[in-house]
Every structure is written in structure tokens, then in C-alpha cells.
Amino acid sequence: MPDQHRPWRPAPGTPLGATFYVRSGSPFLANWLETPPLRGTLSPGIAGIVGWGGRAPARFARMAAAARGLPYWAVEDGFLRSVALGKSGALPHSIVIDDLGLYFDARRPSRLEALIRDAAAGRWRGEGEAVRRLVVAEGLTKYNHLPHRVPDLGSDRRRRILLVDQVAGDQSIPAALGDAASFRRMAEDAAETGARCLVRTHPDVMAGYRRGYLADLGLLPPRYELLADQVSAPALVEAVDEVWTVSSQMGFDALMRGKAVRTYAAPFYAGWGLTEDRPGAAAGRALARRSGASPTVDDLTAAALVLYPIYRDPETGRRRDVHETIAALAAERRSAG
């Protein structure tokens, strides 16, 4: 098992600054990073700044770090986050911290991109395979609040293409160099296949928190099947033949489960020869940056789920590894019914 500390993360004990948004919204972060309590971005004596995500507070934090000549680390939820949704208040089981960019932002290289390239040498392939098999066996993904059971898709066994809707305005879409036109092209291409076109929207949309692109913005022809059966994303992936997406993590979920994946932007798992990519011009240029490395799905899994994240018990803050986290998430979901 790889050691837990990574040289691109802040060294334990490093005094860090953050915006009020991060200090108030993620008070657990200093413990996760093993640093003193976070201070303001303009505080004297700090040795770096952290920001969460890519919205305005994070952009301010990045600019403050640049202006002060300090290193900047971007923080986000990990790929195995929780059972309940973050918007319902559930604490994360994992986060990622990146000194280069954000894993979903194809406009600049990220630490995950570098890890995938390194993992392509095969050093962590066995560990990636073991973790992938566990994740698939337990039916896990980022959010795990929906039941993992066979979805009711009827008796029509024509080729099934799952089109993944996403939250309108989600920063991961423009960051992956996608837009509404990407969703439109995806829908139009699927319409020409003669296959069953099934549409799955984001959990936040299903829960009524947000709007989606395909369904809510009127980008779907009438014959598309909008799925109302609320089952887990992995259960749905296992019931279809292909997954088409702009930038959703469901593409990664599908790769781990041996499904064909087509992308319409530049998510972190595209451009490595594992997916069929139909990007626009800008996304195509970003994907070209990844040429020359040929990771397997197990290499990709090792980078994304073993090397990149930090795992902790969300209640006690105790450090965990990915295997312990998989077991904890699976047990929590079973106890939640």
C-alpha cells in the first residue's frame, strides 16, 4: 500500500490561510491536512493558501496566493464521498488536494493528470485492480444514498445508451470545456443510433436542489426515456451497454464496470485511449495534452482512488485507507436501509 503522505500536499504542521467561506464551511479541513487552524488569506506568517472548488471564493484565494508569492492548493470532494448528499449536510469520507489545478478543470494540468500518467507505468496496477473490484462489488460511487438494485428498464433489450444529464451551471462543465452545445450534440448523436436512449439526471436534480441540462433545458427529443426509477448510478450503469457523458463521474464509474464510454468534453478519464471522445475544439486541444500515455482502467483507478485522495472517518477524523473507506461506506449504506 502506498504511504499516506504525498509530497505535493502541504507538509503536516504548515500554517495555511483560507477564505472565510472555507474556514466556516469546512472546519474539519485543518485536521484532515494535519495543519494548525486555518487563518485568513491575508494573515501574516502563513506558508500557503487553500481554496475549495473553483467558484469565486476559490478564485480570490488563488489570486491572494499569487499576489503574496505563496503556494496554492485546491481542495475538492473525493470520488468516494459519502452515502448522503453533501447538500443534505453529510460530511465527506474523502477529499482531494491538488497543487497544480483541479481534477475536473481541463484548462490546466492537474496533479491527478500527472498521477494517471505516472500510473500508466503499471506500478500500482495490482492495487488499482483490487480497489476497482471492491468498488464494483459494493456498488459504490461518489454519493451512495440511492438503493443499489436492478433498475426497471422493461423488456426492450435493444442496445441501451445511457445519456448522463448534469446540473445546469455546474462549474465542472465549462471547466471540462463543455457547454450546452455539448449536451445537444450528445443527444443528436444518440438519436441517430436507433438504440434505446435512456437519460439519467444528477442526484441533486432528482432531489429537487438543481436543474439539469437535458431534461430541464429542453434538449431532448420526445422519444428519449427519462429515468424515474431512483436506483444507484452503478446499478444503472450495469444495466446498460454504453454510457455517454459530457463530464460526469459516471463515465469513470462505467469504465470501472467494463462499459463502453463516450465523452463530449474533457473529463479526467478521457483522452487516455479508454474512451471514445467527441470533444469540441477547445476540449480536443486539452485531450491532446494527455497523448503518449496509455493507462489501463486499473491504472486510472489507482491514480484516482488510491494515490490522489485523503480518506478519513468523517466523525472522528481518524485517517483511513481506501479499503477501510469502501468498507465503511458499504456498511453505512446497508444500515441506512
Side-chain angles (χ1 to χ4, degrees):
M1 173 67 65
D3 66 330
Q4 291 293 327
H5 180 62
R6 305 286 185 266
W8 66 85
R9 296 176 186 161
T14 302
L16 297 173
T19 62
F20 177 77
Y21 169 80
V22 171
R23 301 196 311 275
S24 61
S26 305
F28 58 85
L29 192 55
N31 177 60
W32 277 60
L33 300 178
E34 300 178 357
T35 65
L38 298 176
R39 294 184 252 168
T41 56
L42 302 181
S43 297
I46 59 174
I49 293 176
V50 294
W52 195 291
R55 296 190 182 277
R59 292 195 294 271
F60 173 83
R62 186 182 289 274
M63 288 189 295
R68 299 187 63 182
L70 296 173
Y72 176 80
W73 289 275
V75 180
E76 255 293 346
D77 289 322
F79 301 115
L80 296 170
R81 186 199 184 277
S82 55
V83 172
L85 297 175
K87 287 189 176 295
S88 70
L91 294 172
H93 286 247
S94 67
I95 64 169
V96 298
I97 183 161
D98 200 309
D99 61 329
L100 300 178
L102 280 165
Y103 72 85
F104 58 77
D105 190 345
R107 295 169 295 193
R108 58 165 62 92
S110 70
R111 178 57 58 179
L112 178 55
E113 191 173 302
L115 289 171
I116 293 169
R117 189 176 299 279
D118 291 344
R123 180 184 177 193
W124 304 113
R125 190 166 298 163
E127 178 68 7
E129 179 184 7
V131 169
R132 176 181 58 79
R133 289 183 181 278
L134 280 173
V135 168
V136 171
E138 294 291 357
L140 295 177
T141 183
K142 185 171 185 176
Y143 300 108
N144 299 279
H145 60 299
L146 295 175
H148 186 66
R149 57 176 172 78
V150 177
D152 181 10
L153 299 182
S155 59
D156 186 346
R157 270 302 309 166
R158 283 179 300 152
R159 173 184 166 209
R160 293 170 173 173
I161 299 175
L162 178 65
L163 305 183
V164 184
D165 199 4
Q166 292 178 244
V167 171
D170 189 323
Q171 60 179 328
S172 75
I173 295 167
L177 301 167
D179 53 22
S182 306
F183 287 89
R184 188 178 301 279
R185 285 190 293 110
M186 180 170 70
E188 290 172 350
D189 288 353
E192 296 176 358
T193 64
R196 286 186 69 185
C197 298
L198 310 168
V199 178
R200 165 61 173 255
T201 195
H202 189 278
D204 283 349
V205 176
M206 285 193 291
Y209 293 122
R210 309 285 289 277
R211 297 179 67 204
Y213 272 94
L214 292 174
D216 293 334
L217 300 186
L219 299 182
L220 287 178
R223 72 178 186 83
Y224 280 64
E225 300 176 49
L226 187 60
L227 297 174
D229 195 6
Q230 294 205 7
V231 301
S232 71
L236 186 53
V237 165
E238 289 166 4
V240 301
D241 300 297
E242 300 178 32
V243 173
W244 293 13
T245 180
V246 173
S247 63
S248 168
Q249 183 180 319
M250 281 187 74
F252 178 46
D253 293 334
L255 286 174
M256 286 195 290
R257 290 159 176 84
K259 300 296 180 176
V261 176
R262 182 186 288 190
T263 70
Y264 282 81
F268 74 89
Y269 49 83
W272 305 105
L274 301 172
T275 54
E276 179 186 355
D277 302 317
R278 302 289 182 91
R285 289 190 292 272
L287 293 182
R289 188 175 65 228
R290 300 171 186 172
S291 63
S294 300
T296 67
V297 171
D298 291 333
D299 296 332
L300 186 74
T301 303
L305 298 186
V306 180
L307 301 172
Y308 194 43
I310 301 171
Y311 295 102
R312 287 190 181 273
D313 182 322
E315 299 299 329
T316 68
R318 183 182 71 84
R319 187 181 289 276
R320 285 174 170 162
D321 63 23
V322 62
H323 297 273
E324 293 172 309
T325 299
I326 290 169
L329 285 169
E332 184 180 338
R333 186 172 64 184
R334 283 191 292 270
S335 67

